[in-house]
Amino acid sequence: MEDYILEMRNITKTFPGVRALDNVNFKVRRGEIHCLVGENGAGKSTLMKVLSGVWRYGTYTGDIVYNGEIQKYQSTKDSEAAGIAIISQELALIPDLSIHENIFFGHEIMNGRLINWNQTIIEARKYLKKVRLDVNPSMKIRDLRVGKQQLVEIAKALSKNAKLLILDEPTSSLNEDDSQNLLELLRELKADGVTSIMISHRLKEVVDIADTITVLRDGATICSMDGKTATMSDIIRNMVGREMEDIYPVRKKKEPGEVALELKDWTVYDPSLERTILDHVNMKIRHGEIVGMAGLMGAGRTELALSIFGNSPKYKLVSGEILVEGKPMSFRDPNAALRAGIAYATEDKKRNGLVLMQDIRFNVTISNLDALKEGLVINKNEEIVQVNSYRDSMNIKTPSIAQKVELLSGGNQQKVSLAKCLFVGPKVLLLDEPTRGIDVGAKYEIYTIMNRLADEGYSVLMISSDLPEILGMSDRIYVMAEGTITGEVSREEATEQVIMRLATKTHDVEETNNGE
Amino acid sequence: MENKAKQGLLPELWHLVRTHIRDYAMFIALAVIFILFGIFTNGNFLSPRNLTNLINQTGYIAVMAVAMTLILIIRQIDLSVGYAAGFTGAIAAILMVKAGIPFYITIPIILVLGIVIGLVEGSIISFIGVPAFVTTLAFEFIFRGLLSLVTSESGTIPIFDEGFNAISNGFVPDIGEVGGLHLLSLVVGALAVVLLVVSQIHNRQNLKKYNFEVVSLPVFIMKLVLMAALIGAVAVVLASYRGLSWTIVVVAVVTFIYNFMLNRTKLGRHIYGVGGNPEAAALAGINVKKIMLFCFASMGMMSALGGILFASRLQSASTTGGAGFELDAIASCYIGGVSTSGGVGKVTNTIIGALVIMSLTNGLNLMGVGIAYQYVIKGLIFIVAVALDVLSRRK
């Protein structure tokens, strides 16, 4: 009889309009390293949030059986008390407190009513040693790099006597050495009897370390495999295969025009992450072409778009050049990029795309008010005429363009965002997740608009995490992983498996694991 | 799309009041204050003499509040404006009294000094990244010290320049008198009403032309009559005392320029964009730092203008001039409906807010309420205004 530390039975979790988890079954043996894999949006993080009590008992259906007993967590505090610790991608450490303060934050070692700092430091040292982190416990978290911060998180979990560790993409922001170090640590903890669940997109790591691999797809368990025998191809085959539920408008095959935008050896460093986020990227987009940019979360696609778009204060360009219609350019800021004909629609409309409290008219014209200026003054009549024509051509559903953007649906907000890009008269449109979070009908409309724009000669780069969308819309596809372009695929060659293989390819992997 | 007209007049009015309660609140507050003070002071508060006085008294806060509106729209704050006004006022006095420079040269010098002050503060905030709260608090200390320094030998500096003193105390020379009323005020008032009616009708036609929703005709006429009556009342009040004061002219010009800039120019749009969503503004190609710098420079200039108006009003520069102006200016904005989370605000409403604040000061003074109580009352009203704003914006 197998000894399961955890069994999640028939877990179903719905959000308004979406079934994020659909009768998921998930079993973890005591003392194993269990990897959870799946595409973006497959439900991995949601499942772990259910387990750790972020989604409390009653907000989902099904049973969590931990150590043989049904659990009813009201919060993460309850799951922690039971010995389950989650380490999410966004680390939950307080940057300006020291390591030892962070480790014992929330479960301080007390001496009567006061904190016993001496004991705290002694204990902190003990746990740091366990995670093989050789630093002074009084150092501030801020002064550690991400890889070491992660180890502190694990030390913190251990200090709470965690028996089951959940790591959500722990290596995605680490360099190679730190990743190896972390995996080694997981093996040591396993020897000490700690069970780990690891969510990862790096399939190489997964086949290296996993005792068991479970694949989720579209909120359902596809299969569980023995980690000793599974190959990367097996995993990929199970990850893909989403049904083509959305229909794509027919895209007429046309000869693309001249190259509109070209990047050569584009290498970008992010000082805040102390990491090269884009490494010798070469790509080109032609007039009249829709180019898909596929890749998993954290592959560097948004960073690529932002770095093209002149977001220089945050990123440091190490090498490379950018050519617009063959002419070398450099963009100091987004305004320079806009004037050169590059427009960018961000993935997160609410946070940094639109001014929600203002109306449609305001948002559409804000990037190019010069086009409406007569002397000092904005010609409001001309503005109304022009924005009305965008409303009609894009079918923005609204009583009038004086409607505040916050009152529009996601699909209509996206159309406003597109209109805003077009109003600057661009040559190249960088669209970051153009259909995320909008309903099927609105998606179809956005696709139709994109097709029309390409037919009119615009170059469209579509960043998307939705594989069917990439396959259904793109004339050509680039796949990114870990800041590099790992492959370029034509529309004819493209299949989900081909793309997923490229998206999970890492620097050091030769395609040896490729037995079909 | 006059669909609301079909619901009948009263429901439409009720709907309008309910959905625009925040816009009307300050008018209601102003009306209540006027009525209450009218009663408590046996009508003294409402005398043409006092109302003219009230308007002149509002001038220096009004111009500072107008510029403060921009600062609050872009989610910043300026706590240094009080002593910046006091300090620049004192420098104006020194230039005129000690250096003998005429007022028409002194005033531009002081305004430029104000711009420089604003640029320095704005640079520290936008380029070095010190929060506005900290920077301007520090500068409030600095100006307080500088004010003491420049007035330490002489104490209060009396100003004898008549031209300068006329700005806050004098009246525009009149063109004639009709039945004891000053003609100029009436003419200007009538012109303002005509302008209002023409522009409102034009606006409405335009909106209808482009199929925007407009209020029904009866409501439109009611609003127009109300606004015309308000302007008319002000004109008659002014005419029955000593006519049009120079302060009104200054405030009107400043308000017009700022209102025009915010509503009609690219710069104004960019200010609202930065205030509404700084990240989106940056991605829309707006230079956020430049906008911040501009707003602080304008604030510096209006602090200097406020300093000039205040010194002119007192006909002297005192050693503590400007203390507490920043709170009056900020309160005027919030009472006038500027959002505490930025992105929303109108300078015309801020002027009403300033009038509310100064009516309180004026009325309480007339009633003989001590200055200590006045501070407490103003503080309470400030908090209530902001709390109401926060509540009304909660979804």
Side-chain angles (χ1 to χ4, degrees), chain A residues 351 354 370 378 381 383 402, chain B residues 206 212 264 266 269 277 280:
Chain A
R351 218 185 60 225
L354 299 170
D370 284 334
I378 294 168
N381 290 348
E383 182 180 33
Chain B
N206 229 344
F212 280 73
R264 302 299 304 274
K266 178 177 163 183
R269 288 286 180 92
N277 187 344

Side-chain angles (χ1 to χ4, degrees), chain A residues 262-297:
Chain A
E262 181 169 9
L263 290 187
K264 286 182 177 167
D265 282 329
W266 192 251
T267 301
V268 175
Y269 181 79
D270 185 337
S272 67
L273 292 177
E274 299 179 24
R275 210 155 53 89
T276 301
I277 48 170
L278 296 168
D279 196 2
H280 292 90
V281 170
N282 287 289
M283 58 172 256
K284 52 180 83 158
I285 314 169
R286 294 170 187 281
H287 280 296
E289 197 180 32
I290 296 180
V291 176
M293 178 63 82
L296 294 165
M297 223 76 96

Side-chain angles (χ1 to χ4, degrees), chain B residues 282-312:
Chain B
L283 284 178
I286 298 172
N287 190 333
V288 176
K289 289 180 178 171
K290 230 169 159 177
I291 296 292
M292 277 172 66
L293 207 58
F294 169 81
C295 289
F296 276 98
S298 105
M299 184 74 250
M301 182 165 139
M302 286 303 120
S303 307
L305 183 59
I308 290 167
L309 290 174
F310 186 64
S312 155

Side-chain angles (χ1 to χ4, degrees), chain A residues 309 334-335 338 351-355 357-358 362 365-367 369-370 376-378 380-381 383-385 401-402, chain B residues 1 206 210-212 260 263-266 269-270 272-273 276-277 279-280 282-286 342-344 395:
Chain A
F309 195 57
N335 194 37
L338 287 167
R351 218 185 60 225
N352 42 26
L354 299 170
V355 183
M357 63 181 74
Q358 295 288 352
F362 180 101
T365 59
I366 185 78
S367 290
L369 290 167
D370 284 334
L376 269 179
V377 184
I378 294 168
K380 288 195 179 184
N381 290 348
E383 182 180 33
I384 292 169
V385 171
I401 56 168
Chain B
M1 277 202 267
N206 229 344
Y210 294 111
N211 272 333
F212 280 73
F260 178 84
N263 289 325
R264 302 299 304 274
T265 70
K266 178 177 163 183
R269 288 286 180 92
H270 284 186
Y272 281 118
N277 187 344
E279 289 87 10
L283 284 178
I286 298 172
V344 176
K395 294 273 152 63

Side-chain angles (χ1 to χ4, degrees), chain A residues 10-23:
Chain A
N10 301 319
I11 303 287
T12 297
K13 165 82 192 160
T14 53
F15 294 105
V18 210
R19 183 169 282 233
L21 295 175
D22 189 6
N23 271 312

Side-chain angles (χ1 to χ4, degrees), chain B residues 12-336:
Chain B
E12 188 192 350
L13 272 178
W14 175 234
H15 174 81
L16 217 60
V17 170
R18 232 184 27 213
T19 50
H20 291 79
I21 185 77
R22 192 62 196 79
D23 297 337
Y24 300 143
M26 63 202 142
F27 289 102
I28 297 168
L30 196 61
V32 169
I33 288 170
F34 269 55
I35 292 166
L36 286 181
F37 280 136
I39 296 168
F40 290 145
T41 61
N42 296 323
N44 278 345
F45 180 80
L46 297 175
S47 70
R49 182 173 183 278
N50 188 57
L51 288 180
T52 302
N53 190 25
L54 168 65
I55 290 170
N56 284 356
Q57 206 175 7
T58 308
Y60 58 90
I61 292 298
V63 292
M64 292 200 287
V66 164
M68 186 66 81
T69 307
L70 269 55
I71 297 281
L72 296 177
I73 286 176
I74 61 161
R75 307 180 176 194
Q76 304 294 322
I77 195 145
D78 192 337
L79 300 173
S80 69
V81 298
Y83 280 108
F87 171 66
T88 47
I91 297 293
I94 289 169
L95 287 182
M96 288 183 295
V97 175
K98 303 217 168 132
I101 298 172
F103 78 96
Y104 48 84
I105 296 176
T106 301
I107 290 175
I109 293 175
I110 295 302
L111 292 181
V112 170
L113 175 65
I115 293 175
V116 171
I117 288 171
L119 284 174
V120 170
E121 291 183 58
S123 301
I124 294 173
I125 294 161
S126 59
F127 294 120
I128 302 180
V130 181
F133 184 87
V134 177
T135 307
T136 58
L137 190 64
F139 272 88
E140 164 143 63
F141 266 69
I142 292 168
F143 291 131
R144 191 177 179 170
L146 289 176
L147 175 61
S148 299
L149 217 62
V150 296
T151 55
S152 61
E153 280 177 36
S154 52
T156 297
I157 307 166
I159 300 169
F160 303 106
D161 190 319
E162 281 180 14
F164 186 81
N165 290 339
I167 301 170
S168 283
N169 300 297
F171 293 83
V172 181
D174 219 327
I175 48 175
E177 223 172 276
V178 186
L181 294 177
H182 291 261
L183 192 56
L184 182 66
S185 316
L186 295 180
V187 171
V188 171
L191 271 176
V193 169
V194 170
L195 260 172
L196 174 83
V197 171
V198 169
S199 80
Q200 289 285 315
I201 290 177
H202 175 77
N203 231 333
R204 185 181 154 87
Q205 297 299 355
N206 229 344
L207 287 179
K208 278 175 83 170
K209 189 167 105 196
Y210 294 111
N211 272 333
F212 280 73
E213 198 172 320
V214 291
V215 293
S216 68
L217 195 61
V219 171
F220 176 70
I221 291 171
M222 265 165 69
K223 269 178 126 175
L224 217 53
V225 168
L226 224 81
M227 279 155 83
L230 210 70
I231 294 173
V234 171
V236 170
V237 164
L238 291 173
S240 52
Y241 182 54
R242 288 180 56 192
L244 202 60
S245 69
W246 284 111
T247 305
I248 291 191
V249 177
V250 172
V251 172
V253 168
V254 166
T255 309
F256 177 81
I257 292 174
Y258 272 83
N259 193 45
F260 178 84
M261 190 259 293
L262 274 180
N263 289 325
R264 302 299 304 274
T265 70
K266 178 177 163 183
L267 181 61
R269 288 286 180 92
H270 284 186
I271 289 171
Y272 281 118
V274 169
N277 187 344
E279 289 87 10
L283 284 178
I286 298 172
N287 190 333
V288 176
K289 289 180 178 171
K290 230 169 159 177
I291 296 292
M292 277 172 66
L293 207 58
F294 169 81
C295 289
F296 276 98
S298 105
M299 184 74 250
M301 182 165 139
M302 286 303 120
S303 307
L305 183 59
I308 290 167
L309 290 174
F310 186 64
S312 155
R313 184 166 172 73
L314 297 186
Q315 311 193 358
S316 66
S318 83
T319 53
T320 56
F325 287 5
E326 66 280 359
L327 215 69
D328 282 340
I330 294 167
S332 303
C333 296
Y334 285 147
I335 291 171

